Amino acid sequence: MARITDSSADDRLAGGRKKIDATTVARLPAPGSVVPGAFGFTPDGKAVTYLKAETASLSRVLWRAEVSGGPPRVVARPPGGGDTDANVSREEALRRERQRLRETGITQIVRADKAEVAVIPLGGDLYVLRGQDGPLERLTDTDDPEIDPQLNADGSKVGFVRGNELYSLDLGSKQETRLSQGAVEGLTHGLAEFMAQEEMDRSRGFWWSPDGSKIAYQETDERAIPLYSIVHQGAEYSVETHRYPFPGAANAKVRLGVVSSTGGETRWLNLPVDHPDFYLARVDWAGPSELLVQLLSRDQRSLRLCRVDVQENRSTVLIEERAETWVNLHNDLRLVEGTGEILWSSERSGYRHLELYDRDGKKLRELTRGSWPVDGVDHLDSARREVWFSSGIETPLERHLYRVSLDGGPIRKISNDPGTHRAVIARDGETFVDTFSSRSRPPVTRLMSRDGRVIAPLDDAALSDPRVDQLRLTPPEVVRFTGRDGTNLYGAYYAPRSRAFGAKAPLVVLLYGGPHVQYVPEAWSLTADLNAQHFAERGFAVWKMDNRGSSRRGHAFEAAIHRNMGSVEVRDQVDGVRFVARNWPEVDATRVGVSGSSYGGYMTLRCLTEAPETFHAGVSIAPVTDWDGYDTCYTERYMGTPLDNPEGYRNASVLDAVGRLKGELMVIHGMLDENVHFRHTARLVSALIGADTRFRMLPLPEERHSSRKEEGRRYVAEQLATFFEDALSRPVR
């Protein structure tokens, strides 16, 4: 085996270290995770602004740092403490949940491209910040909240959605114009539908033209989708309803229109689709009267990039991606200024790589190639004809910043420190902000020159968070091993910190196991996983790994789950447990627990039912239990529909398999979960009772898909530990 060790881990348990308990686990953010975000360079490139808490908390304020030097300074704090889960509208709360947003205070900033103007939504209203230091000026004061504000390029107008209709507000005169008409219950204008927000990484539902004269926006008709009711029973009684599309059933109907920013009739565009049931995947303006629209077929095996002439209402297909499994969406489309060339990325080779096309869709050249995927485009510098991108060329454990010419040639690596880097590049390409971390180093944020030289430090999470020194977290050991069929896999091992169970420690496997997630990166998040650290503190050995189906290893690695979820993932996890048992003699492989949330909750159940000889106890949190009850876009991407893949759906369901479960089981689920409905767990309970199978149940009446209340997280953390202490206290026969 190849071990990737950390030489600094040996002295991490020196005297005086603070104990990790359930209270420690419940507090957010995790130690060393107060990191600046939402970076934006000013149009002249002379300063950068960003959001960050002033203490080790979630409450963010707006900071500014000058490229020429000087310490960063706070330029705006939210009145009244800003946004929290408790004071935003239900629509905004659901958007926060879909974006996995936990921060409070100033949680969003919207900047103009060509002016130092920013709009900040707070408490359902909008505020504007002009110039360097403000002050914050209130723009709206309404009962209905303004949703998803977007500034035009010169910062003179802001668009937003209120009451499911699209509006434009002139920041000078404060005159407001309603741009759309006819919204009713189930029919909205300017809002991304649930599928786009939750499964397609698109939260925006309208787009300003470059000259600010027009807005393209979507109309979403969900009236054919049945209502799904969620009852609030833990506090004051109420019922909320959602239109939730189930696999094989009706989806939202979406059309794209363009309207003048001063009002008037909407022109609905003719889009080149083979069937009216499609996904509006991406929308970008290519000029004052042209759009680039990405259209994804419902089966997600075809993605078309189309140029739409708004004046003529005529569409042309420029590029089409096809796949036998599915086409992954990306955010890599860029237009080269002056030439109209199209920067694109494709997984046709089996790995995502960058390509350059002319404005008519003719392929000019490949820019990258190899047995590694591009993670994403970070910046296109049209003047220098170069593109900045992120990838893990040397190892999938790390993420680095690279640069390559649009005219072809060698790739230059820009970041040097080992670990995971995320960068935001100034428009002129002269400077960039780099945030990097590793298992042994909490995140560091620095202002860098284009050649990778440090200009100035902006933030060091280890210095701003006293918990880093107090807890002295021990980084896990990261290893590479080979699965039964020869696949290279990566895992992380957390050694037990006590002899609570004697000479041999039970093993707890923490997992996710699903698409679009990497669970074992060379990043501080691996060390700051307080669930893993809490188990190790209480005497358990802990194991995490990335099975096939997870991200950053190429499409074949991910597509191993195609039409058969919960199969190869379990086999890889079994191989991981066997690997741990062979290489760490302190682990007792007769006492193995497993736990995860969401897809990890599903995987927990699959491990217990498909490999009961390996996994002896499990805690399943917010699990999918039968894929016929999850949403269309995600489920059909990987499984097809129940009609065209009935055997796959039957094999992937846990409901008919619970009779094979031999170990101890606890199920935890938020009863307000609008993503993986509590109905999944209710169906599981019925199946368990029908199979006369013993289990424990912990419903969370006022929680959604993720736990947003600290007291709830603390209770769950303690329940997890005590459950496994009881279930794995002795060898399982």
Side-chain angles (χ1 to χ4, degrees):
M1 76 176 171
R3 297 195 177 191
I4 303 132
T5 59
D6 192 312
S7 60
S8 65
D10 297 335
D11 63 351
R12 290 290 188 132
L13 297 178
R17 180 178 63 81
K18 184 178 178 181
K19 182 180 179 181
I20 300 171
D21 55 17
T23 299
T24 311
V25 175
R27 182 183 170 189
L28 295 180
S33 299
V34 182
V35 180
F39 287 99
F41 280 89
T42 55
D44 60 10
K46 294 182 179 180
V48 62
T49 60
Y50 53 90
L51 301 179
K52 180 184 174 293
E54 295 181 86
T55 60
S57 72
L58 292 170
S59 182
R60 288 184 161 189
V61 299
L62 181 63
W63 297 72
R64 180 185 176 101
E66 306 297 327
V67 171
S68 59
R73 68 185 193 279
V74 176
V75 295
R77 294 182 175 90
D83 284 349
T84 68
D85 282 347
N87 66 13
V88 298
S89 67
R90 195 188 86 174
E91 177 63 36
E92 197 59 45
L94 292 174
R95 289 171 64 86
R96 285 169 58 83
E97 177 72 10
R98 291 160 193 164
Q99 296 170 21
R100 309 301 185 254
L101 180 65
R102 294 181 179 273
E103 286 77 15
T104 61
I106 298 177
T107 61
Q108 181 185 5
I109 179 170
V110 179
R111 301 177 178 90
D113 288 339
K114 299 180 180 179
E116 275 205 61
V117 178
V119 165
I120 296 173
L122 291 167
D125 289 311
L126 302 181
Y127 293 75
V128 63
L129 182 71
R130 308 174 198 263
Q132 293 188 20
D133 299 301
L136 278 180
E137 174 190 348
R138 189 166 193 156
L139 286 176
T140 64
D141 186 1
T142 58
D143 293 332
D144 287 339
E146 286 76 40
I147 302 295
D148 191 25
Q150 303 292 337
L151 281 163
N152 65 351
D154 66 11
S156 62
K157 293 182 179 182
V158 60
F160 56 84
V161 176
R162 183 197 296 140
N164 294 329
E165 297 285 16
L166 181 64
Y167 290 80
S168 173
L169 174 65
D170 188 291
L171 269 62
S173 67
K174 304 293 179 66
Q175 181 177 347
E176 186 177 283
T177 305
R178 180 169 164 173
L179 303 179
S180 66
Q181 308 290 332
V184 294
E185 197 283 320
L187 181 72
T188 64
H189 295 124
L191 288 176
E193 74 275 25
F194 171 72
M195 286 298 92
Q197 294 182 47
E198 184 65 42
E199 309 297 3
M200 293 193 289
D201 191 28
R202 177 171 69 80
S203 61
R204 186 179 299 185
F206 68 92
W207 302 265
W208 282 97
S209 65
D211 61 3
S213 66
K214 294 179 283 292
I215 295 180
Y217 71 95
Q218 73 174 78
E219 178 185 78
T220 305
D221 187 351
E222 298 180 306
R223 289 174 293 185
I225 301 173
L227 290 170
Y228 188 89
S229 297
I230 296 176
V231 181
H232 291 243
Q233 299 185 108
E236 183 177 346
Y237 174 82
S238 63
V239 178
E240 63 181 70
T241 57
H242 304 269
R243 294 186 183 272
Y244 191 98
F246 293 103
N251 242 345
K253 296 178 181 178
V254 175
R255 61 175 177 167
L256 183 65
V258 174
V259 66
S260 169
S261 61
T262 59
E265 292 295 319
T266 296
R267 171 173 288 189
W268 299 107
L269 301 178
N270 297 318
L271 301 176
V273 293
D274 296 329
H275 193 278
D277 202 356
F278 69 96
Y279 294 107
L280 181 67
R282 302 284 187 268
V283 177
D284 295 276
W285 283 91
S289 60
E290 287 187 338
L291 287 166
L292 290 180
V293 181
Q294 295 182 46
L295 304 171
L296 183 66
S297 61
R298 173 146 178 182
D299 66 7
Q300 300 181 61
R301 295 181 180 183
S302 169
L303 175 66
R304 289 177 174 176
L305 174 65
C306 312
R307 185 185 302 277
V308 182
D309 185 314
V310 172
Q311 300 300 329
E312 300 293 331
N313 202 353
R314 184 177 64 247
S315 299
T316 305
V317 177
L318 301 177
I319 302 171
E320 183 167 10
E321 299 286 337
R322 289 187 175 273
E324 293 184 2
T325 53
W326 66 83
V327 178
N328 283 311
L329 297 175
H330 59 81
N331 294 304
D332 298 333
L333 173 65
R334 302 289 191 282
L335 288 182
V336 182
E337 295 179 17
T339 68
E341 292 165 300
I342 300 167
L343 178 65
W344 183 253
S345 72
S346 171
E347 288 185 299
R348 280 188 298 272
S349 68
Y351 296 88
R352 181 162 301 284
H353 283 294
L354 302 180
E355 302 172 339
L356 189 68
Y357 291 77
D358 70 13
R359 74 176 314 276
D360 296 319
K362 178 184 176 182
K363 185 176 177 179
L364 299 175
R365 65 188 62 89
E366 294 178 342
L367 303 180
T368 64
R369 62 178 63 89
S371 299
W372 47 268
V374 168
D375 290 318
V377 170
D378 294 298
H379 177 64
L380 172 63
D381 188 332
S382 295
R384 290 189 175 93
R385 290 188 61 78
E386 62 186 17
V387 56
W388 303 58
F389 67 94
S390 296
S391 180
I393 295 178
E394 294 86 356
T395 169
L397 294 174
E398 298 190 10
R399 177 183 170 120
H400 284 276
L401 184 64
Y402 303 87
R403 201 163 55 223
V404 68
S405 170
L406 293 178
D407 299 314
I411 295 171
R412 180 182 179 186
K413 185 179 180 182
I414 307 301
S415 55
N416 295 307
D417 298 279
T420 297
H421 293 255
R422 298 190 183 277
V424 176
I425 295 93
R427 182 173 302 178
D428 60 9
E430 290 293 334
T431 54
F432 66 95
V433 171
D434 175 40
T435 299
F436 84 94
S437 74
S438 68
R439 281 175 293 143
S440 58
R441 187 70 176 90
V444 174
T445 303
R446 304 172 299 189
L447 187 63
M448 313 285 288
S449 66
R450 64 175 277 104
D451 59 1
R453 178 177 50 85
V454 178
I455 297 175
L458 294 180
D459 187 75
D460 188 332
L463 301 178
S464 61
D465 191 341
R467 294 174 298 163
V468 173
D469 182 60
Q470 293 167 358
L471 296 174
R472 303 178 197 176
L473 300 174
T474 304
E477 183 176 358
V478 172
V479 297
R480 184 179 68 243
F481 68 100
T482 304
R484 68 186 74 178
D485 66 349
T487 303
N488 283 329
L489 301 167
Y490 293 90
Y493 177 75
Y494 302 74
R497 294 213 195 104
S498 73
R499 298 275 183 156
F501 298 95
K504 290 275 195 176
L507 178 69
V508 173
V509 177
L510 299 180
L511 48 66
Y512 181 78
H516 302 298
V517 171
Q518 183 182 25
Y519 220 41
V520 183
E522 178 57 53
W524 177 249
S525 59
L526 201 60
T527 300
D529 181 346
L530 290 189
N531 280 306
Q533 298 284 2
H534 185 213
F535 281 121
E537 185 98 330
R538 293 174 79 143
F540 295 94
V542 181
W543 172 250
K544 299 169 65 174
M545 65 167 283
D546 285 314
N547 51 252
R548 279 171 291 179
S550 55
S551 67
R552 303 193 74 232
R553 295 289 303 278
H555 192 66
F557 189 88
E558 182 185 35
I561 65 172
H562 185 226
R563 296 173 72 85
N564 196 19
M565 282 175 151
S567 55
V568 66
E569 309 100 294
V570 175
R571 292 198 292 274
D572 287 351
Q573 292 289 339
V574 169
D575 289 351
V577 172
R578 292 173 179 172
F579 173 80
V580 172
R582 289 195 304 269
N583 290 279
W584 282 280
E586 70 268 26
V587 172
D588 183 354
T590 70
R591 294 183 287 171
V592 179
V594 58
S595 182
S597 179
S598 195
Y599 200 98
Y602 167 69
M603 280 290 294
T604 296
L605 296 171
R606 293 293 288 180
C607 286
L608 290 172
T609 56
E610 305 308 304
E613 72 287 349
T614 301
F615 299 96
H616 310 115
V619 180
S620 174
I621 305 172
V624 171
T625 58
D626 193 311
W627 289 103
D628 69 0
Y630 199 53
D631 69 49
T632 52
C633 186
Y634 184 96
T635 307
E636 293 174 9
R637 180 186 306 148
Y638 308 116
M639 292 290 290
T641 67
L643 183 63
D644 68 30
N645 185 22
E647 183 178 359
Y649 273 78
R650 281 194 302 271
N651 292 338
S653 174
V654 301
L655 299 182
D656 293 333
V658 294
R660 298 196 292 268
L661 194 152
K662 298 178 181 178
E664 299 289 326
L665 170 65
M666 173 182 272
V667 184
I668 302 174
H669 207 144
M671 295 178 70
L672 303 184
D673 194 336
E674 88 293 348
N675 180 0
V676 180
H677 297 142
F678 186 78
R679 173 174 174 259
H680 283 273
T681 286
R683 294 172 75 186
L684 175 65
V685 168
S686 294
L688 289 165
I689 292 172
D692 197 22
T693 301
R694 187 177 66 176
F695 67 98
R696 304 183 200 180
M697 176 71 194
L698 176 58
L700 303 173
E702 289 299 307
E703 292 283 19
R704 294 193 183 273
H705 191 55
S706 58
S707 183
R708 307 189 76 91
K709 296 181 174 64
E710 184 170 339
E711 63 270 23
R713 293 192 296 271
R714 181 174 60 249
Y715 186 81
V716 167
E718 184 61 32
Q719 290 298 306
L720 279 167
T722 55
F723 171 84
F724 282 124
E725 285 170 344
D726 178 49
L728 302 177
S729 60
R730 57 194 177 277
V732 179
R733 295 179 180 176

